[in-house]
Amino acid sequence: MNHQEALTGYIASFVAELVQSGVTDVVVSPGSRSTPIAMVMAEHPGLKLHIHVDERSAAFFALGIAKAAKRPTVLLCTSGTAAANYYPAIVEANISRVPLVVLTADRPHELRDVGAPQAIDQIHLYGKHVKWFVEMAPPESTKEMIRYARMVCARAVAAATQAPSGPVHLNFPLREPLIPNLDDDQLFRQKERVNGYVKIQQPTVSLRKDEFDSYAERIRTTKRGIIVCGQMEENGFAEAVTAFAEKYQFPILADPLSQLRSGVHNGKTIIDTYDGFLRNDLAKEALKPDLIIRFGSMPVSKALTIFMKENYEVQQLVIDGGIGWRDPALVSTEMVYCQETLFCKEMTMRMEAMPESDYFEKWKNVNSFTKNLIDTIDKAEELNEGKLFHQLAELLPEEAAIFVGNSMPIRDLDSFYHLNEKSMKVFANRGANGIDGTVSTALGVGTIHQPLYLILGDLTFFHDLNGLVAAKLQNVNITILLINNNGGGIFSFLPQASHPKHFELLFGTPLDLDFSKAVEMYGGQFTSISNWDQFSETLLQDRNKEGLRVIEIVTNRESNAAEHRKLWKFVSQEINSMLEKENA
Amino acid sequence: MNHQEALTGYIASFVAELVQSGVTDVVVSPGSRSTPIAMVMAEHPGLKLHIHVDERSAAFFALGIAKAAKRPTVLLCTSGTAAANYYPAIVEANISRVPLVVLTADRPHELRDVGAPQAIDQIHLYGKHVKWFVEMAPPESTKEMIRYARMVCARAVAAATQAPSGPVHLNFPLREPLIPNLDDDQLFRQKERVNGYVKIQQPTVSLRKDEFDSYAERIRTTKRGIIVCGQMEENGFAEAVTAFAEKYQFPILADPLSQLRSGVHNGKTIIDTYDGFLRNDLAKEALKPDLIIRFGSMPVSKALTIFMKENYEVQQLVIDGGIGWRDPALVSTEMVYCQETLFCKEMTMRMEAMPESDYFEKWKNVNSFTKNLIDTIDKAEELNEGKLFHQLAELLPEEAAIFVGNSMPIRDLDSFYHLNEKSMKVFANRGANGIDGTVSTALGVGTIHQPLYLILGDLTFFHDLNGLVAAKLQNVNITILLINNNGGGIFSFLPQASHPKHFELLFGTPLDLDFSKAVEMYGGQFTSISNWDQFSETLLQDRNKEGLRVIEIVTNRESNAAEHRKLWKFVSQEINSMLEKENA
């Protein structure tokens, strides 16, 4: 068998198995060494190829697709630093449990560590940040090696998918000449079992029946239980957890990424303004729990984290189908490794009566009281970061996907985006919480969910400006709400804000960029908003329009921090009055 | 001692030692966890801080400074994916032997692997791509721990500098509150030895006297010796190697990055058109060597590589002061670990007479014959990538620094940029040869060398567009010659060019971007050239102007490849005629 046949058979078998394992999307960056894999992939009718020149953005784009589609997305790049550019997105995927299959082409063994061009040490390139690494055998098309290629492929997809999902990395040593033979009619059919090479049956992470019984018994006998939900993506979870909460009359403190603040599920148990009222000591005292059941990753709210820390002596259960350790506050008393939706259902079916609960009523009262107070932000006439998030639920269309940037936007979303009956989904990169790759991840989500709204600050936008090229080249429609406060707004909330000497240099970091130019370059439409009427009009007008649209909202870092402080002070004072009256 | 005192004393001692170890430049990316280090650095009068929001560009910017200044540059960022963005530049620095000291802030131990925000596993984050990694002890200001901080700092700088230079990584676990006490007058003077904590005397990589004697004897008795010089940055090397070559009458095949094609050193021995004539079989036969002595990294020219491979049976010495293995062609017969300049000097002083050499004359004749043939490219009326590089030596000012992009530009520079007596320096990222980070690395070089010219293709420009922000914020003057052939020009020279089916999708990858918008956003001036007169006029007019200037030269990928082929065919035919005449 000649070199080209060996290369083609091996790669084609691998690619065929990818498709049979459920992969549909591949994000490819151009390069020479990856030529045979790229050409064979382009030939497969079952794969959609997205081409992205900047590998950093490419990897975040793939992360977005995988996050939204909940299936592994494949990355392919050439050898060298190209592969190192994937690192930030791989780290994020690993922590946020998003399945990626990363394929890197490499120089063959004789060109490694000898000063050859584009040859870097790619063995374990991503260290502990991938779930599985395989240095592939050099291409051969013996029966044995075809089985090998298919087996590794099937396992790689399964490993990426298995809870907790995450990235895997396969490194392909490829020797010149690199052109495969695409003229073979049987390219993807040779040496193949009819229904794919191997099926991998994943395990269910669950408990024994007697263990479920025991948890149900303990939870049933609790008077002051609360449920805390952080980021959760599981299908059916919203219905399951709200049914569980209603049966036991537990309030659900629902993070914006829990997907519980929007949708047609029962909203009666949802508490959505805790980030406001848990800053108040009287409220915290009145609402002291004796059991906390937590699902998903740690919520965004710092007030809630402090509340959980202050109640470190009560039972705190973390239910985790990903068998991780999601407890940065070091307060959990029990790690319960069980699929979250399954756990809720098992609890719900073990509860018969629906008890009355004063404690639950208290949560609901404080919550609706706080919501009315926060609603006053709508009166603000100046452009204001809080009000922007408060208006989203009303202004965005049914079934919008909202992607929100880290740093301040996710916190403002938490504070100001409340329960609504639209079916909006909220996404963010909350594994490592970086400001990198946000535009690209959002655009990846946009290939699956439309209409797509991305809300982010100017530094986050700048960090991944290159990502915008996907809006143009991959034809992804997106509306970006760019909160431009010319620098790092979050630092105005941190202690360094009171040390002015190096503040603007090190933390404020104004870029003074007119982003309309970049948006024009990528063929987008740019509107800078000067008042609230224009904001809502522009959002409404832009609905159903195609392409890239950026709506800039210029704000001021200092006054923004001052207004936030003023609002929370007002909310706290009013809650004090209310609770003091009640206690009197 | 309270937390703030412990933090401040530890960090200030570390920073003081950095300065005493010779560090002058720090590239800082804004973040919260790195606050104490950033604030203390900003306070030190001996450090120049460069602020860069995008860590990927920041790291390449630091690489450029270190490359040009030949001293370690420090990087500082916050925890999380920020640090992962450094990876491409770190990989490049490691292979291209550029000293970097990478400081990453990290969450303290109790916030690791528990789902805390911006907490990723930073232990050995860069794997085998750094020379040294230290997980720093948590801040303490006991005498012992101050000595520890200073010792690690001194060793880190020494390790980065020691041949082969490269990156080192120190990871700092930092606990809140993060604000240091800057009010202390003795901030950088406490507990300090007068002349710094410890001096580290580096070794000289050299040979014994009898070993030098033996090499000199062998080289002296060689009739057909050649010297090959790849990328070399050592001060004094140009003088030393040309003196060596002249004494022994050996031709020097000088790569553009050898720094031998430009300068006031003796140019008599320099062969600069070998990439043209070593494509010709008769020339290769006529110039067959019996000894090849190589310095620096592997040269760019593929023709030269093939020539060395075809002569695999002759003695091939690689002289390497960095104790590496620079031999991708697997042809070396001897690895000689000795500082290159020192080796040349030792050889020169051991040679008394200057022999006559027909062989050397042959090289010079073929070289000047070829040069005349290549000079005909100046007649081209259409904009043409080859001619552009051919004109650089004439059009750029004395002492210009030229930074050249990878892929086609570096190859065209090799083919068309010939010996001149200006004192121009040529830089490129030739460790891993990536197209990433090029704008930023060039701008880093520009903080040391002016005037700065960057020549690169449109995909390379796009990959690091964010890097342009440094031209604006750090006030670095730069003239960019943007060769815009709307895609990946090099692929038109590769075998896939004859497989049109997926070619434009996978390899051509046109972006169709109007880069003038991005340049405007960064406050630059953009000129698109339509003819050669305008090109030279613009270059001359722009001399001594400040700021960012981009000169776009629009070319066509297909016709460019065709013209290159035509030229090399013409050159080869003429050389055939010439050599056949000589042999007749």
Side-chain angles (χ1 to χ4, degrees):
Chain A
M1 195 178 293
N2 70 24
H3 170 84
Q4 193 185 39
E5 282 171 24
L7 176 71
T8 307
Y10 185 80
I11 300 295
S13 305
F14 182 90
V15 170
E17 188 71 25
L18 264 186
V19 175
Q20 278 168 352
S21 303
V23 168
T24 56
D25 291 82
V26 183
V27 182
V28 180
S29 296
S32 166
R33 192 58 50 171
S34 48
T35 293
I37 308 180
M39 287 179 74
V40 169
M41 282 175 163
E43 201 68 18
H44 201 301
L47 289 177
K48 184 170 178 195
L49 266 60
H50 311 262
I51 309 298
H52 216 316
V53 167
D54 180 339
E55 294 85 5
R56 179 172 68 173
S57 295
F60 278 108
F61 187 76
L63 176 80
I65 298 174
K67 191 187 269 279
K70 295 176 191 168
R71 59 171 179 264
T73 301
V74 172
L75 276 163
L76 173 66
C77 71
T78 189
S79 67
T81 48
N85 279 277
Y86 283 166
Y87 207 17
I90 286 174
V91 170
E92 172 62 25
N94 194 42
I95 306 183
S96 58
R97 304 179 173 180
V98 177
L100 291 180
V101 177
V102 181
L103 311 179
T104 54
D106 197 357
R107 304 265 146 171
H109 299 70
E110 64 275 19
L111 290 178
R112 293 177 179 179
D113 201 13
V114 291
Q118 287 185 286
I120 73 170
D121 185 354
Q122 297 180 189
I123 307 291
H124 289 292
L125 184 65
Y126 309 115
K128 298 188 170 178
H129 301 272
V130 289
K131 295 179 66 184
W132 198 45
F133 168 77
V134 177
E135 160 72 358
M136 298 293 290
E140 275 189 61
S141 286
T142 59
K143 277 190 176 176
E144 186 80 12
M145 295 313 285
I146 292 288
R147 284 200 293 272
Y148 163 81
R150 296 177 69 92
M151 175 274 290
V152 174
C153 181
R155 284 179 67 183
V157 176
T161 314
Q162 200 168 82
S165 298
V168 301
H169 175 207
L170 310 182
N171 190 53
F172 284 79
L174 297 168
R175 198 169 281 140
E176 294 182 6
L178 296 165
I179 306 295
N181 174 15
L182 301 184
D183 295 334
D184 185 350
D185 285 352
Q186 300 295 304
L187 189 61
F188 299 111
R189 292 171 177 282
Q190 20 188 1
K191 300 163 193 165
E192 191 161 318
R193 296 187 191 159
V194 179
N195 297 315
Y197 170 70
V198 57
K199 182 192 165 204
I200 297 169
Q201 174 62 53
Q202 302 279 10
T204 297
V205 177
S206 182
L207 306 178
R208 291 196 316 266
K209 187 179 168 303
D210 62 305
E211 290 167 335
F212 281 128
D213 290 342
S214 155
Y215 278 111
E217 179 60 27
R218 277 169 55 197
I219 296 172
R220 188 184 305 129
T221 55
T222 303
K223 292 273 178 254
R224 299 168 69 88
I226 66 173
I227 294 170
V228 173
C229 287
Q231 184 165 25
M232 276 297 300
E233 301 289 346
E234 220 171 73
N235 288 331
F237 176 73
E239 292 70 22
V241 74
T242 48
F244 168 35
E246 197 167 22
K247 267 280 187 77
Y248 289 77
Q249 291 287 290
F250 284 5
I252 304 176
L253 282 62
D255 186 84
L257 298 169
S258 67
Q259 313 303 349
L260 296 174
R261 290 202 194 169
S262 186
V264 292
H265 56 270
N266 184 345
K268 280 186 231 160
T269 51
I270 306 295
I271 303 294
D272 50 357
T273 66
Y274 57 85
D275 182 61
F277 65 75
L278 288 181
R279 296 162 194 247
N280 177 286
D281 288 336
L282 286 182
K284 289 198 281 189
E285 188 55 38
L287 301 171
K288 226 172 148 39
D290 54 16
L291 171 67
I292 300 175
I293 301 174
R294 196 151 63 71
F295 298 93
S297 56
M298 192 66 183
V300 169
S301 169
K302 194 172 178 186
L304 175 53
T305 301
I306 292 171
F307 180 68
M308 292 198 293
K309 278 190 168 182
E310 288 169 349
N311 288 287
Y312 72 95
E313 79 286 0
V314 310
Q315 291 182 71
Q316 300 204 19
L317 277 55
V318 175
I319 319 298
D320 186 357
I323 316 186
W325 199 272
R326 290 173 148 176
D327 184 31
L330 310 186
V331 290
S332 79
T333 54
E334 280 173 66
M335 277 291 162
V336 182
Y337 293 135
C338 180
Q339 274 181 16
E340 294 82 353
T341 303
L342 182 66
F343 185 87
C344 293
K345 286 181 178 166
E346 293 287 339
M347 293 304 105
T348 305
M349 63 186 271
R350 281 170 171 78
M351 185 70 167
E352 297 191 355
M354 195 187 296
E356 298 267 311
S357 167
D358 291 349
Y359 179 66
F360 182 37
E361 286 305 312
K362 241 185 231 170
W363 275 93
K364 290 208 284 189
N365 290 340
V366 177
N367 193 58
S368 63
F369 184 79
T370 306
K371 199 178 291 198
N372 288 333
L373 297 173
I374 292 175
D375 284 350
T376 61
I377 202 171
D378 284 341
K379 292 183 198 150
E381 290 182 4
E382 302 284 297
L383 292 182
N384 166 305
E385 300 182 15
K387 179 170 171 181
L388 186 156
F389 287 90
H390 196 250
Q391 304 230 315
L392 290 180
E394 192 189 323
L395 292 177
L396 299 193
E398 277 286 343
E399 309 205 327
I402 303 175
F403 199 104
V404 63
N406 281 319
S407 211
M408 281 312 291
I410 183 71
R411 290 177 171 82
D412 279 333
L413 190 80
D414 190 18
S415 305
F416 301 109
Y417 171 78
H418 298 146
L419 188 66
N420 62 76
E421 288 186 352
K422 294 185 173 175
S423 291
M424 303 199 284
K425 295 265 293 170
V426 182
F427 295 91
N429 278 338
R430 290 304 283 182
N433 301 5
I435 64 166
D436 47 346
T438 306
V439 172
S440 296
T441 317
L443 285 166
V445 168
T447 65
I448 308 292
H449 290 295
Q450 283 289 340
L452 170 69
Y453 291 81
L454 166 62
I455 312 168
L456 82 183
D458 54 296
L459 292 190
T460 303
F461 188 53
F462 166 76
H463 210 293
D464 191 23
L465 263 186
N466 266 12
L468 289 178
V469 79
K472 174 173 149 69
L473 297 182
Q474 315 290 331
N475 295 312
V476 187
N477 302 325
I478 185 171
T479 300
I480 298 179
L481 306 184
L482 169 61
I483 301 168
N484 191 348
N485 54 25
N486 199 22
I490 199 168
F491 295 108
S492 299
F493 291 83
L494 298 180
Q496 47 262 60
S498 52
H499 296 264
K501 190 171 172 192
H502 306 297
F503 184 80
E504 280 298 292
L505 173 75
L506 296 176
F507 306 106
T509 61
L511 299 180
D512 296 313
L513 296 180
D514 173 1
F515 289 109
S516 70
K517 311 265 187 217
V519 174
E520 275 174 44
M521 183 174 74
Y522 293 110
Q525 184 192 311
F526 185 91
T527 314
S528 195
I529 291 300
S530 54
N531 62 60
W532 289 112
D533 286 345
Q534 197 192 354
F535 177 64
S536 49
E537 275 163 29
T538 309
L539 266 180
L540 287 172
Q541 278 167 9
D542 277 9
R543 273 199 199 181
N544 306 318
K545 285 204 185 144
E546 303 214 318
L548 163 67
R549 290 170 310 285
V550 176
I551 302 174
E552 179 188 53
I553 303 98
V554 174
T555 62
N556 176 284
R557 284 183 262 129
E558 274 189 39
S559 64
N560 179 54
E563 279 158 24
H564 274 75
R565 275 191 214 101
K566 197 173 127 197
L567 176 69
W568 297 130
K569 199 175 162 191
F570 161 70
V571 167
S572 201
Q573 283 169 343
E574 295 295 313
I575 293 174
N576 275 346
S577 311
M578 188 266 279
L579 290 176
E580 278 162 6
K581 244 181 262 170
E582 252 180 34
N583 294 344
Chain B
M1 196 179 292
N2 70 23
H3 170 84
Q4 192 185 39
E5 282 171 24
L7 177 71
T8 307
Y10 185 79
I11 300 295
S13 305
F14 182 89
V15 170
E17 188 71 26
L18 264 187
V19 176
Q20 279 169 352
S21 303
V23 168
T24 56
D25 291 82
V26 183
V27 183
V28 180
S29 296
S32 167
R33 192 57 50 172
S34 49
T35 293
I37 308 180
M39 286 180 75
V40 169
M41 282 176 163
E43 202 66 20
H44 201 299
L47 288 178
K48 184 168 180 198
L49 266 61
H50 311 261
I51 309 298
H52 216 316
V53 167
D54 180 339
E55 294 85 4
R56 179 173 68 175
S57 296
F60 278 108
F61 187 75
L63 176 81
I65 298 175
K67 190 187 270 279
K70 295 177 190 167
R71 58 172 179 264
T73 301
V74 171
L75 277 163
L76 172 67
C77 72
T78 189
S79 66
T81 48
N85 279 276
Y86 283 167
Y87 207 15
I90 285 174
V91 170
E92 171 63 24
N94 194 42
I95 306 184
S96 57
R97 304 181 173 179
V98 177
L100 290 180
V101 177
V102 181
L103 311 179
T104 54
D106 197 357
R107 304 266 147 171
H109 299 69
E110 65 275 18
L111 290 179
R112 294 178 178 179
D113 201 11
V114 290
Q118 286 185 283
I120 72 170
D121 185 352
Q122 297 181 189
I123 307 292
H124 289 292
L125 183 65
Y126 309 115
K128 297 189 171 178
H129 301 273
V130 289
K131 294 179 67 183
W132 198 45
F133 168 76
V134 177
E135 160 71 358
M136 297 293 290
E140 274 189 61
S141 285
T142 58
K143 279 191 175 176
E144 186 80 13
M145 295 313 285
I146 292 288
R147 284 199 294 272
Y148 163 80
R150 296 178 68 93
M151 175 275 290
V152 174
C153 181
R155 284 179 67 184
V157 176
T161 313
Q162 199 168 84
S165 298
V168 301
H169 175 207
L170 309 183
N171 189 53
F172 284 80
L174 296 168
R175 198 169 280 139
E176 293 181 8
L178 296 164
I179 306 294
N181 175 16
L182 302 183
D183 295 335
D184 185 350
D185 285 352
Q186 300 294 304
L187 189 61
F188 298 110
R189 292 173 177 281
Q190 17 187 5
K191 298 163 194 165
E192 191 161 315
R193 294 187 193 159
V194 179
N195 297 316
Y197 170 69
V198 58
K199 183 194 164 204
I200 297 169
Q201 174 62 53
Q202 302 279 12
T204 297
V205 177
S206 182
L207 307 178
R208 288 197 317 265
K209 186 179 167 304
D210 62 305
E211 290 167 335
F212 280 129
D213 290 343
S214 153
Y215 278 112
E217 178 58 29
R218 278 170 54 199
I219 296 172
R220 189 184 306 129
T221 56
T222 303
K223 294 271 177 258
R224 300 167 68 89
I226 66 171
I227 295 171
V228 172
C229 286
Q231 184 165 26
M232 274 298 298
E233 300 289 347
E234 222 172 67
N235 288 330
F237 176 73
E239 291 71 21
V241 75
T242 47
F244 168 36
E246 196 166 24
K247 268 280 185 77
Y248 289 77
Q249 291 287 291
F250 284 5
I252 303 177
L253 282 62
D255 186 82
L257 297 170
S258 66
Q259 313 304 348
L260 296 174
R261 291 202 194 169
S262 185
V264 293
H265 56 269
N266 185 343
K268 280 186 232 161
T269 51
I270 306 294
I271 303 294
D272 51 358
T273 66
Y274 57 84
D275 182 60
F277 65 75
L278 288 181
R279 296 164 193 245
N280 177 289
D281 288 336
L282 286 183
K284 289 198 281 189
E285 187 55 37
L287 300 171
K288 225 171 150 38
D290 55 15
L291 171 67
I292 300 175
I293 301 174
R294 196 151 64 71
F295 298 93
S297 55
M298 193 66 183
V300 169
S301 169
K302 194 173 178 186
L304 175 54
T305 301
I306 293 172
F307 180 67
M308 291 197 295
K309 278 190 168 185
E310 288 170 349
N311 288 287
Y312 72 93
E313 79 286 359
V314 311
Q315 290 182 73
Q316 301 203 19
L317 276 55
V318 174
I319 319 299
D320 186 358
I323 316 184
W325 200 273
R326 290 172 148 176
D327 184 31
L330 309 187
V331 289
S332 81
T333 54
E334 279 173 68
M335 278 290 163
V336 182
Y337 293 136
C338 180
Q339 274 182 16
E340 295 82 353
T341 303
L342 182 66
F343 185 86
C344 292
K345 285 181 179 166
E346 293 287 340
M347 292 304 106
T348 305
M349 63 186 270
R350 280 171 172 78
M351 184 70 167
E352 295 190 1
M354 193 187 294
E356 297 267 313
S357 167
D358 290 349
Y359 180 67
F360 181 38
E361 286 305 312
K362 242 185 227 169
W363 276 93
K364 290 207 285 189
N365 289 341
V366 176
N367 193 58
S368 63
F369 183 80
T370 306
K371 199 178 292 198
N372 288 333
L373 298 173
I374 292 175
D375 285 350
T376 61
I377 201 171
D378 284 342
K379 293 184 199 148
E381 289 182 7
E382 302 285 298
L383 291 182
N384 166 307
E385 299 182 17
K387 179 170 171 181
L388 186 156
F389 287 90
H390 196 252
Q391 303 229 315
L392 290 180
E394 191 188 325
L395 291 177
L396 299 193
E398 277 287 342
E399 310 205 328
I402 304 174
F403 199 104
V404 63
N406 282 318
S407 212
M408 280 313 290
I410 183 71
R411 290 177 170 82
D412 279 334
L413 191 80
D414 191 18
S415 305
F416 300 109
Y417 171 77
H418 298 147
L419 188 66
N420 62 77
E421 288 186 351
K422 294 185 174 175
S423 292
M424 303 199 284
K425 296 264 293 169
V426 182
F427 296 91
N429 278 339
R430 290 304 285 182
N433 301 5
I435 65 165
D436 47 346
T438 306
V439 172
S440 297
T441 316
L443 285 166
V445 168
T447 65
I448 308 292
H449 289 295
Q450 283 290 338
L452 170 69
Y453 291 81
L454 166 61
I455 311 168
L456 81 183
D458 54 296
L459 292 190
T460 303
F461 188 54
F462 166 75
H463 210 293
D464 191 24
L465 262 186
N466 266 12
L468 288 179
V469 80
K472 174 173 150 66
L473 297 183
Q474 315 290 331
N475 296 312
V476 187
N477 302 326
I478 185 170
T479 299
I480 298 179
L481 306 185
L482 169 62
I483 301 169
N484 191 347
N485 54 25
N486 199 23
I490 199 167
F491 295 108
S492 300
F493 291 83
L494 298 181
Q496 46 262 62
S498 52
H499 297 263
K501 189 169 172 194
H502 306 296
F503 184 80
E504 280 297 294
L505 173 75
L506 297 176
F507 305 105
T509 61
L511 300 179
D512 296 314
L513 295 180
D514 172 1
F515 289 108
S516 70
K517 311 265 186 217
V519 174
E520 275 172 44
M521 183 173 73
Y522 293 110
Q525 185 194 309
F526 185 92
T527 314
S528 195
I529 291 300
S530 53
N531 62 60
W532 289 112
D533 287 344
Q534 198 192 354
F535 177 63
S536 50
E537 276 163 29
T538 309
L539 265 180
L540 288 172
Q541 279 166 9
D542 277 10
R543 275 199 197 182
N544 306 318
K545 285 206 186 141
E546 303 214 318
L548 163 67
R549 291 170 309 286
V550 177
I551 302 174
E552 180 188 54
I553 302 97
V554 174
T555 62
N556 176 284
R557 285 184 263 128
E558 275 190 38
S559 64
N560 178 56
E563 278 157 25
H564 274 72
R565 276 191 213 101
K566 196 174 128 198
L567 175 69
W568 297 131
K569 198 175 164 192
F570 161 69
V571 167
S572 202
Q573 282 169 342
E574 294 296 312
I575 292 174
N576 274 346
S577 311
M578 189 266 281
L579 290 176
E580 279 163 4
K581 243 181 263 171
E582 250 178 37
N583 295 343

